[in-house]
């Protein structure tokens, strides 16, 4: 173990030096996973798999460090493998489906659109939200396939969602924006499903924009030119870099739900001063603002007072399958 740790430290030290690439200085860091050869290993692949698991632990512990494969990690790695296997089965059995949550006008609660939110229907009848599997789906790349199927489904569902001019909002995995043909493929899907581009909205997080700004911008420009709306999701939690707001063709911002939750707290610890500033900035950049995570009428009113006109949250409706919204529409038309 000591030998391995020494080697790991040397590797990290060397890779910590800046690189000169085309006369630019680039900084990088290494995370190292260590697995020690033991009799129970039957092949090199098995040791590498465990070293890989340790490397992911080193990364999630903050990068620039090493981690040793141990019993905890074995357990963790087995769970990951199991989850990955289940997800592949789930895809084969078409267990993933969109739920819809309304986005409403905060004055009268009329529905403006619906956000499509991924749900996993397990064979045991339970329904899982993305928190439990999105990370692994991203890492393995499975999210791409899952997303494409979900988009197709949501664009079809859009035809039956009320009112007639409601839009559907789709979350984009950061991976999509790295694929050079993403925008064309997306627009082809919109056409194939006979969806009006102006009734389609995509939500991206800042994390999806930092890696390859040029690629991301080109893709978003193509969508924007076709009439698809682009919203920046979870605004206020990440870098909230102001330059992004100018650099990308955004239609608006979704203020992260942590701000709605913190409205009640007083003074600087409350979120009001920041929400007020975000609204002022958005209005001078002509960006729409949607408040997320509105759970009570007090929160709705407080956000309204701060100048927010659109929102979503449990107060207006929880994410629910298509048939729920179809039933709701039937009932209200019967009344
Ligand atoms: P998001 O896009 O910010 O979605 C909003 C999340 O807040 C959803 O969680 C929603 O169920 C939850 N939410 C809505 N109203 C309230 C409320 O009043 N209170 C609270 N506490 N929560 C509320 P969910 O469905 O678990 O999704 C989590 C994240 O997973 C999403 O965050 C989005 O980033 C990602 N995601 C969801 N669906 C997809 C998808 O189809 N594809 C991809 N790539 N990512 C998705
Ligand atoms: Mg979203
Ligand atoms: Mg959000």
């Amino acid at each position: 173990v000591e030998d391995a740790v020494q080697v790991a430290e040397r590797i990290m030290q060397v890779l910590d030096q800046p690189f000169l690439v085309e006369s630019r200085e680039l900084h990088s860091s290494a995370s190292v996973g260590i697995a020690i050869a033991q009799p129970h290993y039957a092949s090199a692949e098995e040791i590498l798999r465990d070293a890989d698991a340790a490397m992911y632990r080193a990364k999630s512990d903050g990068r620039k460090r090493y981690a040793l494969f141990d019993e905890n990690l074995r357990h963790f790695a087995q769970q990951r493998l199991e989850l990955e296997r289940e997800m592949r089965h789930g895809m084969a059995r078409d267990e993933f489906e969109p739920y819809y949550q309304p986005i409403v006008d905060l004055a009268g609660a009329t529905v403006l659109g619906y956000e499509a939110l991924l749900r996993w229907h397990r064979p045991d009848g339970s329904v899982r939200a993305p928190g439990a599997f999105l990370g692994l789906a991203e890492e393995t790349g499975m999210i791409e396939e899952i997303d494409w199927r979900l988009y197709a489904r949501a664009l079809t569902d859009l035809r039956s969602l009320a009112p007639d001019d409601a839009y559907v909002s789709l979350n984009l995995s950061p991976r999509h924006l790295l694929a050079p043909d993403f925008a064309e493929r997306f627009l082809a899907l919109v056409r194939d499903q006979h969806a009006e581009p102006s009734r389609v909205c995509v939500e991206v997080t800042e994390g999806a924009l930092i890696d390859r700004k040029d690629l991301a911008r080109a893709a978003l420009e193509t969508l924007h030119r076709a009439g698809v709306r682009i919203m920046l999701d979870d605004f206020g939690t990440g870098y909230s870099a102001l330059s992004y707001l100018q650099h990308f063709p955004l239609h608006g911002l979704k203020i992260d739900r942590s701000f709605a939750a913190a409205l009640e707290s007083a003074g600087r610890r409350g979120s009001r001063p920041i929400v007020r500033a975000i609204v002022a900035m958005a209005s001078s950049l002509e960006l729409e603002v949607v408040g997320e995570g509105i759970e009570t009428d007090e929160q709705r009113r407080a956000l309204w007072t701060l100048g927010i006109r659109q929102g979503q949250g449990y107060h207006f409706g929880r994410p629910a399958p298509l048939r729920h919204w179809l039933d709701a529409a039937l009932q209200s038309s019967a009344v």
Side-chain angles (χ1 to χ4, degrees), residues 115 171 203 233-235 254-257 292:
E115 178 170 7
N171 289 285
E203 302 188 5
D233 206 351
D234 305 337
F235 190 76
K254 297 187 79 170
I255 300 193
D256 190 71
R257 67 164 182 263
E292 292 190 282

Side-chain angles (χ1 to χ4, degrees), residues 101 115-119 129-131 134 138 143 147 150-151 171-173 203 233-234 257 292-295 312-315 319:
Q101 183 179 40
E115 178 170 7
L117 293 161
L118 178 63
R119 291 294 181 272
L134 193 64
E138 292 273 359
I143 191 63
D147 266 358
L150 180 131
Y151 299 162
N171 289 285
L172 296 195
S173 151
E203 302 188 5
D233 206 351
D234 305 337
R257 67 164 182 263
E292 292 190 282
I294 304 173
E295 296 186 353
Q312 72 189 95
Y314 297 164
H315 179 60

Side-chain angles (χ1 to χ4, degrees), residues 81-100:
L81 271 179
E82 184 55 30
L83 181 61
E84 189 178 336
R85 224 182 347 252
E86 283 175 19
M87 281 174 68
R88 291 199 192 279
H89 282 144
M91 276 166 73
R93 290 192 296 244
D94 232 0
E95 291 171 0
F96 295 94
E97 86 165 306
Y99 271 30
Y100 298 97

Side-chain angles (χ1 to χ4, degrees), residues 105-311:
D105 153 31
L106 291 187
T110 34
V111 174
L112 307 170
Y114 297 85
E115 178 170 7
L117 293 161
L118 178 63
R119 291 294 181 272
W120 181 7
H121 277 271
R122 307 305 312 286
D124 64 4
S126 62
V127 178
R128 277 203 207 170
F133 60 88
L134 193 64
L136 190 59
E138 292 273 359
E139 263 173 46
T140 56
M142 269 187 273
I143 191 63
E144 295 194 37
E145 171 79 28
I146 295 176
D147 266 358
W148 281 114
R149 288 202 217 169
L150 180 131
Y151 299 162
R153 182 100 176 251
L155 290 168
T156 313
D157 290 350
L158 180 59
R159 286 180 232 154
S160 39
L161 282 165
D164 293 345
D165 58 352
Y167 62 85
V168 69
S169 205
L170 305 170
N171 289 285
L172 296 195
S173 151
R175 281 178 164 266
H176 295 307
L177 293 177
L178 299 177
D181 63 345
F182 171 75
E184 283 74 22
R185 187 172 166 194
F186 187 86
L187 293 175
L189 183 68
V190 170
R191 268 194 305 277
D192 289 350
Q193 306 293 330
H194 306 289
E196 202 57 58
S198 63
R199 292 183 62 198
V200 179
C201 174
V202 297
E203 302 188 5
V204 293
T205 52
E206 281 178 290
L209 303 178
I210 38 172
D211 266 357
R212 289 287 310 271
K213 281 205 186 59
D214 47 343
L215 269 182
R217 181 173 170 174
L220 295 181
E221 290 284 359
T222 305
L223 295 179
H224 172 74
R225 273 196 304 274
V228 172
R229 289 186 236 191
I230 297 150
M231 299 293 284
L232 196 55
D233 206 351
D234 305 337
F235 190 76
T237 50
Y239 310 89
S240 307
L242 302 186
S243 62
Y244 282 32
L245 303 180
Q246 286 197 306
H247 194 73
F248 296 97
L250 300 174
H251 188 82
L253 312 173
K254 297 187 79 170
I255 300 193
D256 190 71
R257 67 164 182 263
S258 53
F259 291 93
L263 285 167
E264 259 62 81
S265 320
R268 255 206 212 169
R269 266 184 300 151
S271 58
R272 279 167 206 263
I274 293 183
V275 173
R276 198 176 286 122
I278 294 177
V279 170
M281 181 186 65
S283 109
S284 72
L285 291 166
E286 295 178 9
L287 294 168
E288 286 188 6
V289 179
V290 175
E292 292 190 282
I294 304 173
E295 296 186 353
T296 64
D297 198 52
E298 289 80 77
Q299 290 172 347
R300 178 193 70 83
R301 262 183 288 158
L303 290 176
W304 175 272
T305 311
L306 290 166
I308 297 185
R309 296 293 172 258
Q310 301 168 39

Side-chain angles (χ1 to χ4, degrees), residues 8-115:
E9 278 173 344
R10 254 169 40 220
I11 294 175
M12 291 188 299
Q13 227 169 41
V14 172
L15 290 178
D16 203 29
Q17 309 294 320
F19 294 87
L20 270 182
V21 178
E22 288 175 357
S23 76
R24 280 188 207 210
E25 200 176 273
L26 301 182
H27 291 263
S28 99
S29 63
S31 303
V32 182
I34 302 172
I36 305 290
Q38 275 165 28
H40 70 78
Y41 286 121
S43 69
E45 283 75 26
E46 287 178 23
I47 308 186
L48 282 174
R49 183 200 61 209
D50 287 353
D52 200 45
M55 189 269 289
Y56 276 111
R57 168 58 53 87
K59 280 193 187 208
S60 68
D61 284 350
R63 296 167 187 267
K64 258 192 185 186
R65 64 189 68 212
Y66 64 84
L68 207 60
F69 190 79
D70 59 15
E71 271 316 305
N72 284 339
L73 266 177
R74 179 184 314 286
H75 181 66
F76 179 73
Q78 271 163 357
Q79 279 185 326
R80 266 176 58 102
L81 271 179
E82 184 55 30
L83 181 61
E84 189 178 336
R85 224 182 347 252
E86 283 175 19
M87 281 174 68
R88 291 199 192 279
H89 282 144
M91 276 166 73
R93 290 192 296 244
D94 232 0
E95 291 171 0
F96 295 94
E97 86 165 306
Y99 271 30
Y100 298 97
Q101 183 179 40
I103 298 163
V104 305
D105 153 31
L106 291 187
T110 34
V111 174
L112 307 170
Y114 297 85
E115 178 170 7

